[in-house]
Amino acid sequence: MELDGKVAVVTGGTRGVGAGIARSFARAGAEVVVVARRPPEVPLPRTEFTALDVRDADAVREFFAGLPRCDVLVNNAGGAPYRRLADAPAERHARVIELNLLAPLTVSLAAHEHLRRARGAVVMIGSVSGSRPSPGSAAYGAAKAGLEHLARSMAVEWAPQVRVNTLVVGMVHTELAHLHYGGPEGVEGVSRTIPLGRLAQPADVGAAAVFLASDAAAYISGASLLVHGGGERPAFLDAATANKDAATANKDAATVDKGAATADKGAATADKDAATADKDAATADKDSEEA
């Protein structure tokens, strides 16, 4: 399998995207160590759990010092509540940046010596929020933008011993999706804005993370892999009238062509009826002559 014999540490790997990544790594043959503040509610097969707050630098360093080996590090821990900028003090927003940007830096530095010896790989879990406006989660978006830049710089500084890449993840259907999008109708509505017609599943992100950690990506470093189902349909396309008018014109033209074809068919039928009438008249004339 792709990761046989590898030891992978996944931060925040007890639920949602992190759990999907942990499961994918386990299926790929890796020995998976999941770290988070709380254990998973549902046990993750073939994984080992260690309680760890990735914002606690001393605890993070102690954890990696006691770890015999680490070939792959997945910096997944993160997230943020919906909070408009003016509705909270700067300190609250700073905590979001601490979790989503400073903690991955802390964890990566603590794991560096293991990764260097193993000629290993780091996978940062970024977000499309880092490259678009993120009202209600501006600090989170800013942190994810910084995380992607950190990964590119880290890839240069730590080459050639360690590869570092980022997964830029779009909207994912997790057990907490209703908090972001509403119930089933909200999820369906959001899904219609995605070219592939659905939200990602955690396993989709996990499969991409396995690829970047594997030898199949041996020459990929400092890259950002988009895992967003094709992105989002630009809003201006639905507001613009030019294409709509063209589409209406094409539809009208097709209707005219159809009408013309019907008229041609009617004319042909009339010609056929006239020919039949001429034939009947000729037959009548012949019958009259014979009589």
Side-chain angles (χ1 to χ4, degrees):
M1 299 173 74
E2 298 102 317
L3 299 177
D4 275 347
K6 304 284 189 182
V7 176
V9 174
V10 181
T11 69
T14 58
R15 66 182 182 182
V17 170
I21 292 170
R23 292 189 187 97
S24 295
F25 272 74
R27 284 194 294 268
E31 180 183 332
V32 182
V33 181
V34 170
V35 299
R37 287 183 297 167
R38 290 180 291 273
E41 295 179 2
V42 178
L44 298 172
R46 295 179 289 173
T47 67
E48 175 186 335
F49 171 76
T50 298
L52 180 66
D53 186 341
V54 294
R55 295 169 297 185
D56 185 337
D58 289 337
V60 168
R61 285 189 285 265
E62 183 179 350
F63 166 76
F64 280 100
L67 200 65
R69 179 178 174 183
C70 177
D71 301 278
V72 180
L73 169 63
V74 182
N75 278 308
N76 167 77
Y82 181 86
R83 182 182 293 132
R84 289 189 174 274
L85 285 170
D87 292 343
E91 291 82 358
R92 297 292 295 275
H93 298 300
R95 292 184 63 184
V96 172
I97 295 173
E98 178 187 19
L99 175 61
N100 291 279
L101 177 57
L102 299 182
L105 174 59
T106 298
V107 174
S108 298
L109 289 172
H112 176 245
E113 189 57 30
H114 285 300
L115 295 167
R116 187 189 65 79
R117 286 198 303 266
R119 298 187 73 87
V122 177
V123 180
M124 303 290 198
I125 304 303
S127 170
V128 294
S129 294
S131 58
R132 69 177 184 192
S134 300
S137 58
Y140 173 80
K144 290 300 187 181
L147 183 67
E148 193 172 348
H149 188 277
L150 173 64
R152 288 196 294 268
S153 298
M154 192 180 291
V156 175
E157 287 197 19
W158 291 3
Q161 291 86 4
V162 183
R163 294 186 300 106
V164 186
N165 293 291
T166 303
L167 288 183
V168 182
V169 180
M171 294 172 283
V172 186
H173 195 175
T174 70
E175 61 267 38
L176 299 179
H178 64 283
L179 298 179
H180 301 283
Y181 314 120
E185 289 185 1
V187 171
E188 289 179 11
V190 172
S191 296
R192 287 193 293 271
T193 70
I194 301 170
L196 288 188
R198 66 176 179 87
L199 274 64
Q201 293 295 323
D204 294 318
V205 183
V210 167
F211 164 68
L212 287 180
S214 73
D215 290 342
Y219 198 65
I220 300 176
S221 192
S224 297
L225 177 60
L226 296 170
V227 185
H228 61 4
E232 299 170 81
R233 178 179 171 83
F236 80 86
L237 290 177
D238 295 322
T241 59
N243 291 333
K244 290 178 182 177
D245 291 343
T248 301
N250 290 336
K251 183 177 179 181
D252 292 343
T255 302
V256 170
D257 289 342
K258 184 177 179 181
T262 302
D264 290 341
K265 184 177 179 182
T269 302
D271 291 342
K272 183 178 179 182
D273 291 343
T276 301
D278 290 342
K279 184 177 179 182
D280 291 344
T283 301
D285 290 341
K286 183 178 179 183
D287 291 344
S288 176
E289 291 173 357
E290 292 176 351

